[in-house]
Amino acid sequence: MSQQQVSPAKQLIGSIELAPDKSIAQRAAIFSLLHEGTSTIENFSPAQDPQSTLSCVAKLGAKVDIDQSIVRIEGVGRDGIKAEINELDCGNSGTAMRLLSGVLVGAGIPVTLIGDPSLSSRTMTRIIKPLEQMGAHILARNSAYAPLFITREDPLVPMDFRLPIPSAQLKSCILLAGLFGEEPTRVIESIPSRDHTERLLQLPVSELHGERIIEASRHLKIPAQNYRIPGDYSAAAFWLVAGSIVPNSEIQLPHVGLNPTRTASLKILQEMGANISIETHSESFAEPVGTLTVTSSALKAFDIPVEWIPNAIDELPILAVAMAFAEGTSHIRGAEELRHKETDRIMAIAQLLQAIGAHFRELPDGLEIIGNPNLEFESATFESYHDHRIAMASAVASLRGSKSSFIHDAEAAAVSYPDFWTHLGALSAN
Ligand code: S3P
């Protein structure tokens, strides 16, 4: 278990090639398995979560050929999936476990999905119940946790499913199972969650009374996944905040994914007074991409509208750091989902804020943060709780200390962003 030392930064200057988008990379791998034929994915992510998904896909029959960051996948199509071994390891990845569960139920292949201690402590009830309604039989530890033993002997039952929580993992899981049904499965969402699955699979989407209805069935062709994966907006967010709160900074982030269902934190930071310029590129595939440039600025408090939370869900830890250095009192509410991430992120953010001496109140569904642009601390010691986003948010907070700070279990960053520490060093070098 590594401890990372982070020195204070006088300024952050440079251009960063971000880690490839984790959500898109994992979908690219799974959808390539479902496509019958070759997919060529450029800029595939070396991070642990996408690599876990890729190795699961290979064990379900796809031929995977890796040439540096280019991954070629010979997909077997919906009817060619077979389990070469009966246990698949999803590592730390909730996306892998939830999306693959949908595929396995659809394909009717009996497999056990396992994960690391963090993933094995996250509830899977949200997928187990609807998948059972679709005909699956799922044996889970305490009826809720991995290992998940998944079978389906009865015919697949397509269904109309109204999302009880705005979760893209749950939405994708049900749609993936639905792709195997003769009749359509429809997922209805009232609060939009990230829409990479719909875009990359080109699923029919309609709108009725302000709700989105996404449809999947066996009759839809699964397209080849031929594209270059953009930089991960969720990785960019760490630098957007770092570049804002460290004086005299300018950070450029080329080729970053700017899917609007992911970038609510961009709006939030701009509302807080962050100086971020956005140059959008022409769309070369289903996802919008652009270049972001951030320069330092004074930040002011902001109350995040509850309906923006799902589109900022992964950025809330780093937004909390921005709020700690902003003028005034900010609120993050309606974010109870954070308690079910890689760790209880509301608790972990509270510990992070405590470590830098920020004023805050932990709430059942979020935090109240009493910001201070002149917040001063010497040296802090942080726990990552083995959570990549907490490790990286702690690193950004450390930049404002007057002496070096320390982050326990900092290697967790590699789950989504293996080069994070190298990039931090490069930006601080000037
Ligand atoms: C993800 C969806 C989100 C997000 C996670 C990745 C995805 O989870 O927090 O990091 O790739 O679909 P939920 O859909 O459960 O909110």
PDB file of all heavy atoms in Angstrom, residues 22-24 26-27 49 95 98-99 122 126 165-172 193-194 196-197 234 262 310 313-314 337 341-342 345 388-389, ligand 1:
ATOM      1  N   LYS A  22     -13.254   6.268 -19.061  1.00  0.00           N
ATOM      2  CA  LYS A  22     -13.451   4.937 -18.476  1.00  0.00           C
ATOM      3  C   LYS A  22     -14.826   4.375 -18.839  1.00  0.00           C
ATOM      4  O   LYS A  22     -14.951   3.204 -19.187  1.00  0.00           O
ATOM      5  CB  LYS A  22     -13.300   5.091 -16.960  1.00  0.00           C
ATOM      6  CG  LYS A  22     -13.605   3.900 -16.114  1.00  0.00           C
ATOM      7  CD  LYS A  22     -13.064   4.095 -14.725  1.00  0.00           C
ATOM      8  CE  LYS A  22     -14.038   4.770 -13.777  1.00  0.00           C
ATOM      9  NZ  LYS A  22     -15.164   3.924 -13.349  1.00  0.00           N
ATOM     10  N   SER A  23     -15.849   5.209 -18.777  1.00  0.00           N
ATOM     11  CA  SER A  23     -17.211   4.723 -19.088  1.00  0.00           C
ATOM     12  C   SER A  23     -17.309   4.288 -20.547  1.00  0.00           C
ATOM     13  O   SER A  23     -17.906   3.258 -20.858  1.00  0.00           O
ATOM     14  CB  SER A  23     -18.240   5.839 -18.865  1.00  0.00           C
ATOM     15  OG  SER A  23     -18.500   5.984 -17.499  1.00  0.00           O
ATOM     16  N   ILE A  24     -16.708   5.085 -21.441  1.00  0.00           N
ATOM     17  CA  ILE A  24     -16.782   4.743 -22.869  1.00  0.00           C
ATOM     18  C   ILE A  24     -15.930   3.514 -23.161  1.00  0.00           C
ATOM     19  O   ILE A  24     -16.350   2.610 -23.891  1.00  0.00           O
ATOM     20  CB  ILE A  24     -16.361   5.948 -23.740  1.00  0.00           C
ATOM     21  CG1 ILE A  24     -17.363   7.097 -23.550  1.00  0.00           C
ATOM     22  CG2 ILE A  24     -16.261   5.558 -25.224  1.00  0.00           C
ATOM     23  CD1 ILE A  24     -17.048   8.366 -24.320  1.00  0.00           C
ATOM     24  N   GLN A  26     -15.166   0.992 -21.276  1.00  0.00           N
ATOM     25  CA  GLN A  26     -15.786  -0.253 -20.816  1.00  0.00           C
ATOM     26  C   GLN A  26     -16.944  -0.663 -21.727  1.00  0.00           C
ATOM     27  O   GLN A  26     -17.113  -1.839 -22.045  1.00  0.00           O
ATOM     28  CB  GLN A  26     -16.257  -0.090 -19.365  1.00  0.00           C
ATOM     29  CG  GLN A  26     -15.052   0.065 -18.449  1.00  0.00           C
ATOM     30  CD  GLN A  26     -15.431   0.042 -16.996  1.00  0.00           C
ATOM     31  OE1 GLN A  26     -15.808   1.057 -16.438  1.00  0.00           O
ATOM     32  NE2 GLN A  26     -15.361  -1.108 -16.392  1.00  0.00           N
ATOM     33  N   ARG A  27     -17.702   0.341 -22.159  1.00  0.00           N
ATOM     34  CA  ARG A  27     -18.793   0.039 -23.086  1.00  0.00           C
ATOM     35  C   ARG A  27     -18.234  -0.427 -24.434  1.00  0.00           C
ATOM     36  O   ARG A  27     -18.753  -1.365 -25.043  1.00  0.00           O
ATOM     37  CB  ARG A  27     -19.686   1.268 -23.263  1.00  0.00           C
ATOM     38  CG  ARG A  27     -20.596   1.485 -22.071  1.00  0.00           C
ATOM     39  CD  ARG A  27     -21.191   2.857 -22.089  1.00  0.00           C
ATOM     40  NE  ARG A  27     -22.211   3.035 -21.057  1.00  0.00           N
ATOM     41  CZ  ARG A  27     -21.952   3.243 -19.766  1.00  0.00           C
ATOM     42  NH1 ARG A  27     -20.698   3.275 -19.327  1.00  0.00           N
ATOM     43  NH2 ARG A  27     -22.933   3.395 -18.887  1.00  0.00           N
ATOM     44  N   ASP A  49     -10.007  -0.392 -14.310  1.00  0.00           N
ATOM     45  CA  ASP A  49     -11.410  -0.757 -14.573  1.00  0.00           C
ATOM     46  C   ASP A  49     -11.625  -1.202 -16.029  1.00  0.00           C
ATOM     47  O   ASP A  49     -12.170  -2.283 -16.267  1.00  0.00           O
ATOM     48  CB  ASP A  49     -12.354   0.414 -14.240  1.00  0.00           C
ATOM     49  CG  ASP A  49     -12.765   0.419 -12.773  1.00  0.00           C
ATOM     50  OD1 ASP A  49     -12.227  -0.401 -12.003  1.00  0.00           O
ATOM     51  OD2 ASP A  49     -13.619   1.245 -12.399  1.00  0.00           O
ATOM     52  N   THR A  95     -19.313  -0.656 -13.014  1.00  0.00           N
ATOM     53  CA  THR A  95     -19.812  -0.637 -14.392  1.00  0.00           C
ATOM     54  C   THR A  95     -19.667  -2.025 -15.012  1.00  0.00           C
ATOM     55  O   THR A  95     -20.590  -2.537 -15.649  1.00  0.00           O
ATOM     56  CB  THR A  95     -19.053   0.417 -15.225  1.00  0.00           C
ATOM     57  OG1 THR A  95     -19.216   1.686 -14.598  1.00  0.00           O
ATOM     58  CG2 THR A  95     -19.561   0.500 -16.649  1.00  0.00           C
ATOM     59  N   ARG A  98     -22.233  -4.495 -13.363  1.00  0.00           N
ATOM     60  CA  ARG A  98     -23.654  -4.248 -13.662  1.00  0.00           C
ATOM     61  C   ARG A  98     -23.943  -4.432 -15.153  1.00  0.00           C
ATOM     62  O   ARG A  98     -24.961  -5.020 -15.522  1.00  0.00           O
ATOM     63  CB  ARG A  98     -24.056  -2.881 -13.148  1.00  0.00           C
ATOM     64  CG  ARG A  98     -23.993  -2.860 -11.604  1.00  0.00           C
ATOM     65  CD  ARG A  98     -24.499  -1.594 -11.009  1.00  0.00           C
ATOM     66  NE  ARG A  98     -24.548  -1.690  -9.552  1.00  0.00           N
ATOM     67  CZ  ARG A  98     -23.996  -0.814  -8.710  1.00  0.00           C
ATOM     68  NH1 ARG A  98     -23.332   0.229  -9.177  1.00  0.00           N
ATOM     69  NH2 ARG A  98     -24.101  -0.971  -7.416  1.00  0.00           N
ATOM     70  N   LEU A  99     -23.053  -3.982 -16.019  1.00  0.00           N
ATOM     71  CA  LEU A  99     -23.315  -4.135 -17.461  1.00  0.00           C
ATOM     72  C   LEU A  99     -23.175  -5.601 -17.882  1.00  0.00           C
ATOM     73  O   LEU A  99     -23.991  -6.128 -18.646  1.00  0.00           O
ATOM     74  CB  LEU A  99     -22.385  -3.241 -18.285  1.00  0.00           C
ATOM     75  CG  LEU A  99     -22.933  -1.823 -18.571  1.00  0.00           C
ATOM     76  CD1 LEU A  99     -23.222  -1.041 -17.313  1.00  0.00           C
ATOM     77  CD2 LEU A  99     -22.007  -1.043 -19.476  1.00  0.00           C
ATOM     78  N   ARG A 122     -20.638  -3.343  -2.382  1.00  0.00           N
ATOM     79  CA  ARG A 122     -21.628  -2.425  -2.980  1.00  0.00           C
ATOM     80  C   ARG A 122     -22.895  -3.192  -3.337  1.00  0.00           C
ATOM     81  O   ARG A 122     -22.826  -4.262  -3.934  1.00  0.00           O
ATOM     82  CB  ARG A 122     -21.037  -1.764  -4.238  1.00  0.00           C
ATOM     83  CG  ARG A 122     -19.853  -0.896  -3.907  1.00  0.00           C
ATOM     84  CD  ARG A 122     -19.183  -0.362  -5.143  1.00  0.00           C
ATOM     85  NE  ARG A 122     -20.028   0.561  -5.880  1.00  0.00           N
ATOM     86  CZ  ARG A 122     -19.651   1.143  -7.022  1.00  0.00           C
ATOM     87  NH1 ARG A 122     -18.470   0.883  -7.551  1.00  0.00           N
ATOM     88  NH2 ARG A 122     -20.458   1.979  -7.625  1.00  0.00           N
ATOM     89  N   ARG A 126     -30.235  -3.326  -6.860  1.00  0.00           N
ATOM     90  CA  ARG A 126     -30.877  -2.522  -7.919  1.00  0.00           C
ATOM     91  C   ARG A 126     -30.903  -3.245  -9.264  1.00  0.00           C
ATOM     92  O   ARG A 126     -31.800  -3.014 -10.060  1.00  0.00           O
ATOM     93  CB  ARG A 126     -30.159  -1.174  -8.045  1.00  0.00           C
ATOM     94  CG  ARG A 126     -28.695  -1.306  -8.408  1.00  0.00           C
ATOM     95  CD  ARG A 126     -27.964   0.004  -8.378  1.00  0.00           C
ATOM     96  NE  ARG A 126     -28.015   0.656  -7.075  1.00  0.00           N
ATOM     97  CZ  ARG A 126     -27.523   1.860  -6.824  1.00  0.00           C
ATOM     98  NH1 ARG A 126     -26.962   2.557  -7.782  1.00  0.00           N
ATOM     99  NH2 ARG A 126     -27.588   2.373  -5.621  1.00  0.00           N
ATOM    100  N   ILE A 165     -33.897   4.980  -9.786  1.00  0.00           N
ATOM    101  CA  ILE A 165     -32.835   5.944  -9.461  1.00  0.00           C
ATOM    102  C   ILE A 165     -32.162   6.329 -10.780  1.00  0.00           C
ATOM    103  O   ILE A 165     -32.113   5.503 -11.699  1.00  0.00           O
ATOM    104  CB  ILE A 165     -31.756   5.341  -8.501  1.00  0.00           C
ATOM    105  CG1 ILE A 165     -31.423   3.903  -8.911  1.00  0.00           C
ATOM    106  CG2 ILE A 165     -32.164   5.430  -7.053  1.00  0.00           C
ATOM    107  CD1 ILE A 165     -30.224   3.325  -8.197  1.00  0.00           C
ATOM    108  N   PRO A 166     -31.654   7.567 -10.885  1.00  0.00           N
ATOM    109  CA  PRO A 166     -31.016   7.948 -12.155  1.00  0.00           C
ATOM    110  C   PRO A 166     -29.630   7.331 -12.274  1.00  0.00           C
ATOM    111  O   PRO A 166     -28.622   7.990 -12.039  1.00  0.00           O
ATOM    112  CB  PRO A 166     -30.962   9.483 -12.074  1.00  0.00           C
ATOM    113  CG  PRO A 166     -31.050   9.806 -10.625  1.00  0.00           C
ATOM    114  CD  PRO A 166     -31.667   8.659  -9.909  1.00  0.00           C
ATOM    115  N   SER A 167     -29.563   6.054 -12.622  1.00  0.00           N
ATOM    116  CA  SER A 167     -28.281   5.340 -12.702  1.00  0.00           C
ATOM    117  C   SER A 167     -28.054   4.809 -14.111  1.00  0.00           C
ATOM    118  O   SER A 167     -28.849   4.016 -14.620  1.00  0.00           O
ATOM    119  CB  SER A 167     -28.279   4.178 -11.705  1.00  0.00           C
ATOM    120  OG  SER A 167     -27.300   3.228 -12.072  1.00  0.00           O
ATOM    121  N   ALA A 168     -26.940   5.239 -14.722  1.00  0.00           N
ATOM    122  CA  ALA A 168     -26.603   4.773 -16.070  1.00  0.00           C
ATOM    123  C   ALA A 168     -26.195   3.300 -16.053  1.00  0.00           C
ATOM    124  O   ALA A 168     -26.371   2.594 -17.047  1.00  0.00           O
ATOM    125  CB  ALA A 168     -25.476   5.616 -16.643  1.00  0.00           C
ATOM    126  N   GLN A 169     -25.652   2.854 -14.936  1.00  0.00           N
ATOM    127  CA  GLN A 169     -25.264   1.442 -14.860  1.00  0.00           C
ATOM    128  C   GLN A 169     -26.505   0.553 -14.868  1.00  0.00           C
ATOM    129  O   GLN A 169     -26.552  -0.465 -15.562  1.00  0.00           O
ATOM    130  CB  GLN A 169     -24.432   1.194 -13.602  1.00  0.00           C
ATOM    131  CG  GLN A 169     -23.063   1.872 -13.673  1.00  0.00           C
ATOM    132  CD  GLN A 169     -22.232   1.665 -12.433  1.00  0.00           C
ATOM    133  OE1 GLN A 169     -22.703   1.111 -11.432  1.00  0.00           O
ATOM    134  NE2 GLN A 169     -20.985   2.110 -12.471  1.00  0.00           N
ATOM    135  N   LEU A 170     -27.514   0.950 -14.104  1.00  0.00           N
ATOM    136  CA  LEU A 170     -28.758   0.174 -14.055  1.00  0.00           C
ATOM    137  C   LEU A 170     -29.465   0.238 -15.418  1.00  0.00           C
ATOM    138  O   LEU A 170     -29.902  -0.787 -15.960  1.00  0.00           O
ATOM    139  CB  LEU A 170     -29.653   0.741 -12.939  1.00  0.00           C
ATOM    140  CG  LEU A 170     -31.048   0.162 -12.818  1.00  0.00           C
ATOM    141  CD1 LEU A 170     -31.015  -1.356 -12.664  1.00  0.00           C
ATOM    142  CD2 LEU A 170     -31.770   0.793 -11.618  1.00  0.00           C
ATOM    143  N   LYS A 171     -29.553   1.452 -15.974  1.00  0.00           N
ATOM    144  CA  LYS A 171     -30.187   1.621 -17.290  1.00  0.00           C
ATOM    145  C   LYS A 171     -29.511   0.713 -18.324  1.00  0.00           C
ATOM    146  O   LYS A 171     -30.166  -0.023 -19.064  1.00  0.00           O
ATOM    147  CB  LYS A 171     -30.054   3.096 -17.705  1.00  0.00           C
ATOM    148  CG  LYS A 171     -30.397   3.391 -19.145  1.00  0.00           C
ATOM    149  CD  LYS A 171     -30.418   4.896 -19.437  1.00  0.00           C
ATOM    150  CE  LYS A 171     -29.065   5.585 -19.359  1.00  0.00           C
ATOM    151  NZ  LYS A 171     -29.128   7.002 -19.742  1.00  0.00           N
ATOM    152  N   SER A 172     -28.170   0.735 -18.343  1.00  0.00           N
ATOM    153  CA  SER A 172     -27.428  -0.035 -19.346  1.00  0.00           C
ATOM    154  C   SER A 172     -27.604  -1.526 -19.124  1.00  0.00           C
ATOM    155  O   SER A 172     -27.710  -2.304 -20.079  1.00  0.00           O
ATOM    156  CB  SER A 172     -25.945   0.333 -19.282  1.00  0.00           C
ATOM    157  OG  SER A 172     -25.790   1.726 -19.427  1.00  0.00           O
ATOM    158  N   SER A 193     -29.485  10.267 -17.004  1.00  0.00           N
ATOM    159  CA  SER A 193     -28.157   9.845 -16.539  1.00  0.00           C
ATOM    160  C   SER A 193     -27.274   9.740 -17.784  1.00  0.00           C
ATOM    161  O   SER A 193     -27.774   9.879 -18.907  1.00  0.00           O
ATOM    162  CB  SER A 193     -28.249   8.498 -15.828  1.00  0.00           C
ATOM    163  OG  SER A 193     -28.752   7.524 -16.713  1.00  0.00           O
ATOM    164  N   ARG A 194     -25.983   9.460 -17.608  1.00  0.00           N
ATOM    165  CA  ARG A 194     -25.086   9.463 -18.772  1.00  0.00           C
ATOM    166  C   ARG A 194     -25.624   8.532 -19.858  1.00  0.00           C
ATOM    167  O   ARG A 194     -26.120   7.436 -19.563  1.00  0.00           O
ATOM    168  CB  ARG A 194     -23.642   9.140 -18.368  1.00  0.00           C
ATOM    169  CG  ARG A 194     -23.416   7.758 -17.854  1.00  0.00           C
ATOM    170  CD  ARG A 194     -22.002   7.598 -17.307  1.00  0.00           C
ATOM    171  NE  ARG A 194     -21.816   8.403 -16.105  1.00  0.00           N
ATOM    172  CZ  ARG A 194     -20.647   8.599 -15.496  1.00  0.00           C
ATOM    173  NH1 ARG A 194     -19.553   8.054 -15.979  1.00  0.00           N
ATOM    174  NH2 ARG A 194     -20.564   9.322 -14.400  1.00  0.00           N
ATOM    175  N   HIS A 196     -24.053   7.203 -22.741  1.00  0.00           N
ATOM    176  CA  HIS A 196     -23.094   6.575 -23.672  1.00  0.00           C
ATOM    177  C   HIS A 196     -23.660   5.296 -24.297  1.00  0.00           C
ATOM    178  O   HIS A 196     -23.404   5.003 -25.457  1.00  0.00           O
ATOM    179  CB  HIS A 196     -21.790   6.222 -22.963  1.00  0.00           C
ATOM    180  CG  HIS A 196     -21.130   7.366 -22.285  1.00  0.00           C
ATOM    181  ND1 HIS A 196     -20.746   8.499 -22.950  1.00  0.00           N
ATOM    182  CD2 HIS A 196     -20.756   7.558 -20.994  1.00  0.00           C
ATOM    183  CE1 HIS A 196     -20.169   9.335 -22.096  1.00  0.00           C
ATOM    184  NE2 HIS A 196     -20.172   8.784 -20.907  1.00  0.00           N
ATOM    185  N   THR A 197     -24.424   4.522 -23.517  1.00  0.00           N
ATOM    186  CA  THR A 197     -24.934   3.246 -24.039  1.00  0.00           C
ATOM    187  C   THR A 197     -25.853   3.489 -25.239  1.00  0.00           C
ATOM    188  O   THR A 197     -25.695   2.870 -26.293  1.00  0.00           O
ATOM    189  CB  THR A 197     -25.679   2.486 -22.916  1.00  0.00           C
ATOM    190  OG1 THR A 197     -24.724   2.174 -21.908  1.00  0.00           O
ATOM    191  CG2 THR A 197     -26.329   1.212 -23.421  1.00  0.00           C
ATOM    192  N   SER A 234     -14.207  13.164 -16.443  1.00  0.00           N
ATOM    193  CA  SER A 234     -14.106  13.023 -14.981  1.00  0.00           C
ATOM    194  C   SER A 234     -12.663  13.201 -14.508  1.00  0.00           C
ATOM    195  O   SER A 234     -12.428  13.618 -13.374  1.00  0.00           O
ATOM    196  CB  SER A 234     -14.641  11.665 -14.541  1.00  0.00           C
ATOM    197  OG  SER A 234     -15.996  11.566 -14.892  1.00  0.00           O
ATOM    198  N   ARG A 262     -22.487  14.292 -18.863  1.00  0.00           N
ATOM    199  CA  ARG A 262     -21.339  14.105 -17.971  1.00  0.00           C
ATOM    200  C   ARG A 262     -20.816  15.419 -17.385  1.00  0.00           C
ATOM    201  O   ARG A 262     -20.033  15.391 -16.429  1.00  0.00           O
ATOM    202  CB  ARG A 262     -20.199  13.440 -18.764  1.00  0.00           C
ATOM    203  CG  ARG A 262     -20.457  11.997 -19.148  1.00  0.00           C
ATOM    204  CD  ARG A 262     -20.273  11.069 -17.976  1.00  0.00           C
ATOM    205  NE  ARG A 262     -18.905  11.056 -17.490  1.00  0.00           N
ATOM    206  CZ  ARG A 262     -17.900  10.384 -18.049  1.00  0.00           C
ATOM    207  NH1 ARG A 262     -18.126   9.664 -19.125  1.00  0.00           N
ATOM    208  NH2 ARG A 262     -16.680  10.413 -17.531  1.00  0.00           N
ATOM    209  N   PRO A 310     -27.034  13.830 -10.949  1.00  0.00           N
ATOM    210  CA  PRO A 310     -26.618  12.628 -11.705  1.00  0.00           C
ATOM    211  C   PRO A 310     -25.573  12.923 -12.778  1.00  0.00           C
ATOM    212  O   PRO A 310     -24.755  12.070 -13.092  1.00  0.00           O
ATOM    213  CB  PRO A 310     -27.919  12.135 -12.348  1.00  0.00           C
ATOM    214  CG  PRO A 310     -29.011  12.733 -11.527  1.00  0.00           C
ATOM    215  CD  PRO A 310     -28.492  14.045 -11.025  1.00  0.00           C
ATOM    216  N   ILE A 313     -22.135  13.330 -10.837  1.00  0.00           N
ATOM    217  CA  ILE A 313     -22.014  12.408  -9.697  1.00  0.00           C
ATOM    218  C   ILE A 313     -20.545  12.060  -9.379  1.00  0.00           C
ATOM    219  O   ILE A 313     -20.149  12.035  -8.222  1.00  0.00           O
ATOM    220  CB  ILE A 313     -22.891  11.141  -9.907  1.00  0.00           C
ATOM    221  CG1 ILE A 313     -22.991  10.325  -8.626  1.00  0.00           C
ATOM    222  CG2 ILE A 313     -22.435  10.286 -11.066  1.00  0.00           C
ATOM    223  CD1 ILE A 313     -23.908  10.883  -7.600  1.00  0.00           C
ATOM    224  N   ASP A 314     -19.749  11.813 -10.412  1.00  0.00           N
ATOM    225  CA  ASP A 314     -18.363  11.401 -10.156  1.00  0.00           C
ATOM    226  C   ASP A 314     -17.461  12.589  -9.816  1.00  0.00           C
ATOM    227  O   ASP A 314     -16.332  12.396  -9.348  1.00  0.00           O
ATOM    228  CB  ASP A 314     -17.801  10.649 -11.369  1.00  0.00           C
ATOM    229  CG  ASP A 314     -18.454   9.275 -11.516  1.00  0.00           C
ATOM    230  OD1 ASP A 314     -19.038   8.780 -10.535  1.00  0.00           O
ATOM    231  OD2 ASP A 314     -18.378   8.701 -12.621  1.00  0.00           O
ATOM    232  N   GLU A 337     -26.689   8.813  -3.357  1.00  0.00           N
ATOM    233  CA  GLU A 337     -26.004   7.781  -4.153  1.00  0.00           C
ATOM    234  C   GLU A 337     -24.509   7.717  -3.848  1.00  0.00           C
ATOM    235  O   GLU A 337     -23.878   6.673  -4.001  1.00  0.00           O
ATOM    236  CB  GLU A 337     -26.186   8.085  -5.642  1.00  0.00           C
ATOM    237  CG  GLU A 337     -27.299   7.319  -6.323  1.00  0.00           C
ATOM    238  CD  GLU A 337     -27.156   5.813  -6.236  1.00  0.00           C
ATOM    239  OE1 GLU A 337     -26.268   5.232  -6.882  1.00  0.00           O
ATOM    240  OE2 GLU A 337     -27.950   5.215  -5.494  1.00  0.00           O
ATOM    241  N   LYS A 341     -20.888   4.404  -3.642  1.00  0.00           N
ATOM    242  CA  LYS A 341     -19.828   4.344  -4.667  1.00  0.00           C
ATOM    243  C   LYS A 341     -18.679   3.468  -4.155  1.00  0.00           C
ATOM    244  O   LYS A 341     -18.874   2.662  -3.257  1.00  0.00           O
ATOM    245  CB  LYS A 341     -19.370   5.763  -5.013  1.00  0.00           C
ATOM    246  CG  LYS A 341     -20.448   6.583  -5.704  1.00  0.00           C
ATOM    247  CD  LYS A 341     -20.774   6.017  -7.080  1.00  0.00           C
ATOM    248  CE  LYS A 341     -21.889   6.762  -7.764  1.00  0.00           C
ATOM    249  NZ  LYS A 341     -22.346   6.090  -8.981  1.00  0.00           N
ATOM    250  N   GLU A 342     -17.468   3.629  -4.723  1.00  0.00           N
ATOM    251  CA  GLU A 342     -16.336   2.775  -4.374  1.00  0.00           C
ATOM    252  C   GLU A 342     -16.097   2.763  -2.862  1.00  0.00           C
ATOM    253  O   GLU A 342     -15.577   1.807  -2.301  1.00  0.00           O
ATOM    254  CB  GLU A 342     -15.087   3.218  -5.130  1.00  0.00           C
ATOM    255  CG  GLU A 342     -15.077   2.809  -6.612  1.00  0.00           C
ATOM    256  CD  GLU A 342     -15.863   3.720  -7.542  1.00  0.00           C
ATOM    257  OE1 GLU A 342     -16.832   4.390  -7.096  1.00  0.00           O
ATOM    258  OE2 GLU A 342     -15.532   3.763  -8.756  1.00  0.00           O
ATOM    259  N   ARG A 345     -18.716   7.967  -0.227  1.00  0.00           N
ATOM    260  CA  ARG A 345     -17.986   9.196  -0.594  1.00  0.00           C
ATOM    261  C   ARG A 345     -18.423  10.408   0.222  1.00  0.00           C
ATOM    262  O   ARG A 345     -17.656  11.366   0.322  1.00  0.00           O
ATOM    263  CB  ARG A 345     -18.115   9.475  -2.097  1.00  0.00           C
ATOM    264  CG  ARG A 345     -17.227   8.572  -2.914  1.00  0.00           C
ATOM    265  CD  ARG A 345     -17.132   8.987  -4.371  1.00  0.00           C
ATOM    266  NE  ARG A 345     -16.241   8.056  -5.068  1.00  0.00           N
ATOM    267  CZ  ARG A 345     -16.312   7.778  -6.366  1.00  0.00           C
ATOM    268  NH1 ARG A 345     -17.226   8.356  -7.116  1.00  0.00           N
ATOM    269  NH2 ARG A 345     -15.459   6.932  -6.918  1.00  0.00           N
ATOM    270  N   HIS A 388     -10.342   5.802  -6.007  1.00  0.00           N
ATOM    271  CA  HIS A 388      -9.515   6.608  -6.912  1.00  0.00           C
ATOM    272  C   HIS A 388      -9.858   8.089  -6.857  1.00  0.00           C
ATOM    273  O   HIS A 388      -8.963   8.942  -6.828  1.00  0.00           O
ATOM    274  CB  HIS A 388      -9.617   6.070  -8.343  1.00  0.00           C
ATOM    275  CG  HIS A 388     -11.005   5.898  -8.887  1.00  0.00           C
ATOM    276  ND1 HIS A 388     -11.383   6.345 -10.117  1.00  0.00           N
ATOM    277  CD2 HIS A 388     -12.123   5.321  -8.367  1.00  0.00           C
ATOM    278  CE1 HIS A 388     -12.650   6.036 -10.331  1.00  0.00           C
ATOM    279  NE2 HIS A 388     -13.118   5.425  -9.294  1.00  0.00           N
ATOM    280  N   ARG A 389     -11.158   8.397  -6.805  1.00  0.00           N
ATOM    281  CA  ARG A 389     -11.530   9.824  -6.863  1.00  0.00           C
ATOM    282  C   ARG A 389     -11.211  10.546  -5.555  1.00  0.00           C
ATOM    283  O   ARG A 389     -10.912  11.738  -5.558  1.00  0.00           O
ATOM    284  CB  ARG A 389     -13.007   9.980  -7.238  1.00  0.00           C
ATOM    285  CG  ARG A 389     -13.316   9.339  -8.596  1.00  0.00           C
ATOM    286  CD  ARG A 389     -14.558   9.841  -9.241  1.00  0.00           C
ATOM    287  NE  ARG A 389     -15.005   8.921 -10.273  1.00  0.00           N
ATOM    288  CZ  ARG A 389     -14.477   8.820 -11.495  1.00  0.00           C
ATOM    289  NH1 ARG A 389     -13.461   9.586 -11.838  1.00  0.00           N
ATOM    290  NH2 ARG A 389     -14.947   7.941 -12.363  1.00  0.00           N
TER     291      ARG A 389
HETATM  292  C1  S3P B   1     -21.039   4.908 -14.667  1.00  0.00           C
HETATM  293  C2  S3P B   1     -22.174   5.418 -14.098  1.00  0.00           C
HETATM  294  C3  S3P B   1     -22.197   6.069 -12.779  1.00  0.00           C
HETATM  295  C4  S3P B   1     -20.797   6.491 -12.355  1.00  0.00           C
HETATM  296  C5  S3P B   1     -19.770   5.435 -12.589  1.00  0.00           C
HETATM  297  C6  S3P B   1     -19.724   5.029 -14.041  1.00  0.00           C
HETATM  298  C7  S3P B   1     -21.163   4.243 -15.981  1.00  0.00           C
HETATM  299  O1  S3P B   1     -22.732   5.172 -11.825  1.00  0.00           O
HETATM  300  O2  S3P B   1     -20.793   6.887 -10.992  1.00  0.00           O
HETATM  301  O3  S3P B   1     -18.486   5.903 -12.197  1.00  0.00           O
HETATM  302  O4  S3P B   1     -20.126   4.018 -16.628  1.00  0.00           O
HETATM  303  O5  S3P B   1     -22.282   3.934 -16.374  1.00  0.00           O
HETATM  304  P1  S3P B   1     -24.326   5.026 -11.621  1.00  0.00           P
HETATM  305  O6  S3P B   1     -24.891   4.823 -12.954  1.00  0.00           O
HETATM  306  O7  S3P B   1     -24.541   3.847 -10.746  1.00  0.00           O
HETATM  307  O8  S3P B   1     -24.743   6.310 -10.972  1.00  0.00           O
END
